[in-house]
Amino acid sequence: MNIFQVIGNAQNSNASSETERINFLGQRISRSVLRINKSQNSIPFDSSAFEYRDFNTISIPEYYNRLRALSNENPLLVKDRGYVILKRNKKKHFFDVILSILMYYSVISSLYYLAFKDKNAIGAAFDIFVWIMFTVDIILNFLTEYTDKKFRSILNLKLIASNYAKTWLIFDLMAQIPLGWFGHPTAEYFLRLIRVLKMEKNFVLININAISNKLSGLFYKRDCRDKTQFKLKFRYACKIAKQMLKMLFLTYFLACLWYYYVDYIIRKRHTDNDFVKNFNLEEDSEYKKIIKTWYYIFTTLATVGYGDFYATNIYEMGFAILLLIAGPTWFAFMMGSAIQMINKLNDVNGIANKLTDLELWITGIEEKYEVIPINIKSKILIHFKNFWKNDRLASMLNLSQEGFLSLECRSYFYSEMPNRFKRNLIGYLFGDIIKDHKTFFVHFSKIKYELCRSMQPRFYAANSVILECGNQVFEIIFVNSGRYEIGLSTCKGFRSYFNKSQKSIIGDYFFLNSIQAFATYKAMTNIQSYSIPCFILAEFIKLFKINVSSYLKKISKYYKELFNLMKNAPQETEEEKKDDYEKKSFSSLSDKKYFSGFLKKRIINCLISEKDENSNLKDVFDYVNKVNGVIKKLNSSRKDMLADLKEQLLLILIKNSTENNF
């Protein structure tokens, strides 16, 4: 049994429950339609078309489409097909868009008229037009198709009228009562505010997915990762804008109600002080009044106010208490939703939130131990940034290095695919690597898809060591881009014998022969690569009983030549090793940690233990000169530290020269 079969047999519990739920729903709908068909003596219903086995071969949307098509065959549900306006009718959709805009206008203008100013002649004429449009909408709602809870399209006028009467008819009629014509405009404005309940529904009329697809098609002519990211960013940006608009409308809504309430208290209670008089709002124009009141409500909900505007009497204070109880809670919820979407927008590449978790992890280590050096931190950050950016399996697999059989699938869609589809997908994701390293994957063709499922991205910066001579190989590196050189590290620097570019493998020969590396691999440029853990390859070789001798014969010629070069390479002498050690010791003078050890072991102990005093003094002279060279290249804090060392060396020099008349 291969790894795909192991994962394929482990069904996701949530996915299976969802499958059973959909299947059960389909059986219920099938039985209900069957009963209707039998009662109407219509065409017999073939229930075999929707057995459970079909669910394994069709998608959930297609399944629902079949159920919807099935409902259209029911004469009771499609009785008045010729008289009903379909939801996909373009003219009806255009009318709905215009009506949604008029709905926003109706609510916003009603609030403005209610609080600040009565409508003028132009506004009254336009309100008549709006009233006519909403009356037409009420009539059309009796003729428009709708979808019931069982996803069936209803084209029966009687059922449509019954559904509309049970849902929005009463609210629409109340909002249409023209009380202003009978001298009660305030009551009419309040009734219009019922349309607020339908404003959320109208956002669905704008198809964000269709807009993002069209815009992405203008900038990207073919499907690619950047095109997908553009779509996601656009959709999240639209959701953030929607949340912002909701917050603005909420504060505007409360600002108008607040000003109306203040004006009502002035007219009914005749208080000595009020919000309008205290802040001289009666002298301002209507637009200044709404801006100042809007500002007061916004700051109250967001920050509990700045103190420049506030409630002035007990009636206003009572309203403010209710406002502070309910308003900030809802406002905070909206802000939280917006912030969550902003985080998702920042994390389209899957890096932002992960970086935060990584920094917290590093901080946790530093709290219990010492502070991690900056060079180690930077290497960790570079590794994980590259890993998250180039991990091709991030959305499908949860890779664990405890053992190859512990590879777990965390994607519902991937786990539900047949094994042949999984292989096709893995082959597509790693097709370039399989093609570039054809020799390797031809010999391991039985397990190439399983190996690809274990691949992890790796990054090596220029001049960094990929594999050190004498080390054991733990990963097999498949170089994707960049150049590297092969040689040996000596006291005079790195001695290169070969250099290679992409489409090559590092470590396979050493691992399959169970030997340590006899050469050093060093990056010449930045290298992007993918790696396979050696323990996973070893497990698959045992499991599938793969003979690796043929592959080793194919690559052994090159490695034998490399081995002979490394074997015949000139060896370092003892003097070169000593010079190299002293060079490294003096280079460590810039590090405070190594400085104290160097001072104790390389200078004082040397001067005390040696018998040849003249040679000791010469050593001191050399050390003093070298320290002077180091001091010139360091900052002030290191200069002070090394100056102390220099003084101690000079004191030793003077003392010994005095005793020996040097």
Side-chain angles (χ1 to χ4, degrees), residues 460-522:
Y460 299 94
N463 299 320
S464 64
V465 175
I466 303 173
L467 178 61
E468 186 73 47
C469 178
N471 287 354
Q472 184 179 352
V473 177
F474 295 99
E475 290 183 328
I476 297 176
I477 308 297
F478 296 84
V479 180
N480 205 29
S481 64
R483 297 182 62 83
Y484 64 91
E485 52 188 346
I486 308 172
L488 292 174
S489 297
T490 65
C491 61
K492 297 181 180 179
F494 185 79
R495 186 176 297 166
S496 177
Y497 295 93
F498 286 101
N499 64 79
K500 286 201 169 190
S501 60
Q502 58 186 11
K503 302 182 181 180
S504 57
I505 305 176
I506 300 175
D508 53 344
Y509 180 84
F510 306 124
F511 169 70
L512 295 175
N513 280 293
S514 301
I515 60 175
Q516 295 178 343
F518 48 70
T520 298
Y521 292 74
K522 185 179 180 182

Side-chain angles (χ1 to χ4, degrees), residues 401-417:
Q401 295 192 7
E402 300 298 330
F404 81 101
L405 288 178
S406 63
L407 298 178
E408 298 177 355
C409 177
R410 65 184 181 191
S411 171
Y412 161 72
F413 303 104
Y414 182 83
S415 63
E416 289 298 312
M417 286 195 301

Side-chain angles (χ1 to χ4, degrees), residues 16 53 100 123 203 216 290 297 323 331 333 343 373 433 454 504 525 542 579 594 600 650:
S16 61
R53 62 174 179 272
S100 65
F203 277 105
S216 61
I290 190 172
I297 293 296
L323 185 66
F331 193 83
F333 173 76
N343 291 335
I433 297 177
S454 305
S504 57
T525 62
K542 293 179 183 178
D579 292 340
Y594 294 107
K600 293 177 181 177
L650 290 174

Side-chain angles (χ1 to χ4, degrees), residues 617-629:
L617 295 176
K618 291 179 181 179
D619 289 341
V620 173
F621 273 121
D622 293 338
Y623 288 133
V624 170
N625 292 331
K626 291 180 180 180
V627 169
N628 274 329

Side-chain angles (χ1 to χ4, degrees), residues 279 295-296 299 303-310:
F279 301 108
Y295 163 79
Y296 161 67
T299 55
T303 63
V304 198
Y306 293 126
D308 47 356
F309 291 94
Y310 49 85

Side-chain angles (χ1 to χ4, degrees), residues 530-579:
Y530 284 85
S531 71
I532 296 176
C534 290
F535 75 91
I536 290 182
L537 178 60
E539 292 290 347
F540 278 125
I541 291 175
K542 293 179 183 178
L543 184 64
F544 290 90
K545 300 179 181 179
I546 296 176
N547 185 7
V548 299
S549 58
S550 59
Y551 176 72
L552 288 174
K553 288 180 182 179
K554 203 167 187 69
I555 63 174
S556 60
K557 182 180 180 181
Y558 158 73
Y559 280 96
K560 286 181 180 179
E561 181 182 354
L562 177 63
F563 176 77
N564 292 330
L565 284 173
M566 299 298 104
K567 184 178 180 181
N568 298 325
Q571 302 295 320
E572 292 181 284
T573 64
E574 293 297 328
E575 293 183 358
E576 289 177 335
K577 292 181 179 179
K578 182 178 179 181
D579 292 340

